[in-house]
């Protein structure tokens, strides 16, 4: 399977790239700054481009079987990298008949707001409304764009991201008001789950929460 990764130089994206290469997959990493990818592997190709430029996004597609999207930007920054970037990815997928898309968003908004009730008071009432508001709004627009697409998509909503090791032991598909989830998960385990969805139909055209 030939995999194209957007947001490949980010904290989660780099985990996706590393783990995919370990699995023996051919990986193309789409990044603004190639210097941020220090991995050397015969199965890794690096494409430099701007996710906001649809023509450069389209140029990265070359007989890929699937796409993983881990786009992100600074919290509370007035940008639409996630939503507009994902729209450009989907346009390119439709033009090249690339069918499978795994997209990372987040727990804590839209129909997943109930998970915030498990968060500390300062996170729910201070950090989210003051520092994460714009990021959550962009994620919400991003998800709507994905849902309207005809591709075979899965939206993965992880809890608060940590830099812990990959355990392979986490929960997914839980009810958003489930009081037993911890609302956090390592980026390594998020990557593990996203890669597993490439060969699974369990969450085809569905949104799935991910947490310990």
């Amino acid at each position: 399977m030939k995999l194209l990764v957007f947001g490949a130089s980010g904290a989660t994206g780099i985990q996706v790239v590393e783990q995919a290469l370990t699995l023996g997959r051919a990986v193309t990493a789409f990044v603004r700054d190639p210097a941020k990818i220090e991995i050397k592997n015969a199965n890794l190709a690096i494409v430099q481009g701007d996710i906001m430029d649809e023509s450069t996004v389209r140029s990265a597609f070359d007989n890929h079987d699937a796409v993983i999207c881990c786009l992100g930007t600074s919290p509370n920054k007035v940008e639409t990298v996630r939503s507009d970037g994902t729209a450009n990815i989907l346009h390119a997928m439709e033009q090249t008949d690339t069918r499978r898309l795994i997209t990372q968003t987040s727990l804590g908004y839209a129909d997943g707001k109930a998970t915030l009730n498990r968060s500390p008071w300062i996170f729910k009432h201070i950090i989210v409304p003051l520092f994460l508001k714009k990021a959550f709004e962009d994620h919400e627009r991003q998800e709507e764009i994905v849902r309207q697409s005809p591709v075979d998509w899965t939206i993965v909503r992880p809890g608060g991201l940590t830099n812990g090791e990959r355990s392979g032991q986490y929960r997914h598909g839980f009810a958003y008001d489930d009081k037993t989830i911890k609302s956090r998960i390592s980026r390594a385990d998020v990557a593990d789950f996203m890669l597993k969805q490439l060969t699974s139909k369990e969450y085809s055209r569905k949104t799935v929460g991910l947490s310990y």
Side-chain angles (χ1 to χ4, degrees), residues 37-156:
I37 302 286
E38 299 180 353
I39 303 167
K40 305 297 181 184
N41 190 296
N43 285 333
L44 175 64
I46 299 175
V47 174
Q48 182 176 15
D50 181 356
I51 192 63
M52 303 299 277
D53 182 344
E54 186 173 350
S55 64
T56 60
V57 172
R58 170 63 181 81
S59 68
F61 282 77
D62 179 22
N63 298 318
H64 288 85
D65 301 296
V67 175
I68 287 184
C69 175
C70 301
L71 294 176
T73 187
S74 301
N76 218 38
K77 203 170 184 180
V78 185
E79 288 188 6
T80 56
V81 168
R82 298 173 182 88
S83 54
D84 288 346
T86 300
N88 288 338
I89 291 169
L90 286 166
H91 290 159
M93 290 183 69
E94 292 173 34
Q95 291 167 11
T96 58
D97 198 30
T98 308
R99 299 302 304 162
R100 190 69 171 115
L101 172 69
I102 316 296
T103 303
Q104 174 195 351
T105 61
S106 178
L107 284 178
Y109 60 91
D111 59 332
K113 281 184 179 178
T115 58
L116 289 180
N117 294 329
R118 295 277 299 150
S119 304
W121 185 93
I122 192 170
F123 183 82
K124 179 179 178 180
H125 296 285
I126 303 295
I127 295 176
V128 169
L130 296 182
F131 299 102
L132 296 179
K133 182 175 183 291
K134 291 183 175 64
F136 276 17
E137 288 173 348
D138 197 27
H139 269 315
E140 203 157 358
R141 288 191 295 270
Q142 178 187 26
E143 288 197 0
E144 184 58 30
I145 288 167
V146 173
R147 287 193 186 94
Q148 292 176 0
S149 168
V151 306
D152 180 12
W153 54 265
T154 297
I155 295 173
V156 178

Side-chain angles (χ1 to χ4, degrees), residues 3-37:
L3 177 64
L4 178 55
V5 182
F6 290 91
S9 62
T12 303
I14 200 69
Q15 286 285 338
V16 170
V17 171
E18 290 178 345
Q19 291 184 36
L21 290 170
T22 299
L23 292 170
R25 302 197 186 282
V27 180
T28 299
F30 185 96
V31 293
R32 182 188 291 271
D33 181 5
K36 291 185 177 179
I37 302 286

Side-chain angles (χ1 to χ4, degrees), residues 183-203:
S183 297
R184 66 177 184 274
I185 187 169
S186 72
R187 293 175 174 88
D189 275 334
V190 174
D192 178 82
F193 180 78
M194 294 179 80
L195 287 167
K196 286 176 179 175
Q197 302 320 295
L198 295 174
T199 54
S200 171
K201 292 293 185 181
E202 182 178 5
Y203 296 110

